[in-house]
Amino acid sequence: MTAPHWLALYGLLLGGWVALWAWSAPTSWGTLLRDLCLSTPEPQGLVATTGMWLLMSAAMMLPTAIPAFATHDDIADTQGTGGGAALVAGYALVWAGFAVAAALVQTALATADIPRTGAFAAALLISAAAYQVSPMKAACLSKCRRPLVFFMQHWAEGPFRMGVRLGATCLGCCWALMALGLIGGAMSLAFMALATVLMTLEKLGRGPAIPVAIAIACLAGAGFLIGA
């Protein structure tokens, strides 16, 4: 029998992507959702922007963590323990914090009327490329790629604290790519789908090839914007 937290996780993923499609759809209710996203940077605008980033984080990051969640459940089953729901809750808490931070940054940019020009986008792409090949990225990615080792090292902490630690490690892997949503990828299904696939491949892969390839793509995009 499928554990309740897996049913809830799959339901959240499905609901998240359906909601993202609705937000982007050219229908009357999709337009309404987009209007919330495009509202002014006042309190209600901040709330809507936070909701947008929460939705994006859930839809994009939970799929990349499924192998780790499954590994935890395998270990828990052999020991006759549970905790899968607490693990997911701890993981989600970290990304909820990221969503709030991203919403605050996006609202601050809008409030300060900072133009998101080609130069701004290029700078963000270059920053993302630099982080892709940084030691911090490599260290976090190494832990994400070996969930069995991760859980064996931290099992005594309990599922919720392990979930928070796993979320922080995942954040260390992926925050720079997620931040690219600030330059026009926010609520773009194409951007979100591509970023989700790339982040998942990074965690499933071995060696530096995929992170370096993503860095090169970011630099190419920055070069195109600078030369345009």
Side-chain angles (χ1 to χ4, degrees), residues 38-60:
L38 298 174
S39 57
T40 57
E42 298 170 352
Q44 64 269 26
L46 177 60
V47 170
T49 304
T50 301
M52 177 193 73
W53 279 98
L54 284 170
L55 198 59
M56 288 176 60
S57 297
M60 296 172 68

Side-chain angles (χ1 to χ4, degrees), residues 68-194:
F69 296 157
T71 299
H72 171 272
D73 277 11
D74 288 342
I75 299 173
D77 287 345
T78 62
Q79 298 190 359
T81 62
L87 180 81
V88 174
Y91 181 90
L93 179 63
V94 173
W95 279 100
F98 168 82
V100 172
L104 288 171
V105 170
Q106 185 171 349
T107 303
L109 290 173
T111 302
D113 198 25
I114 297 176
R116 274 171 274 186
T117 60
F120 176 86
L124 200 56
L125 284 165
I126 292 172
S127 298
Y131 188 75
Q132 279 294 114
V133 294
S134 69
M136 178 66 75
K137 165 80 177 192
C140 292
L141 186 57
S142 174
K143 294 181 179 179
C144 285
R145 285 174 167 176
R146 299 185 298 167
L148 179 60
V149 175
F150 173 87
F151 288 123
M152 296 305 293
Q153 288 176 339
H154 304 290
W155 194 260
E157 297 178 4
F160 181 78
R161 290 186 62 184
M162 283 194 296
V164 172
R165 188 183 291 274
L166 179 65
T169 302
C170 184
L171 180 62
C173 282
C174 304
W175 71 267
L177 292 179
M178 289 289 290
L180 294 180
L182 293 170
I183 59 175
M187 300 315 296
S188 164
L189 286 181
F191 164 77
M192 288 183 284
L194 177 60

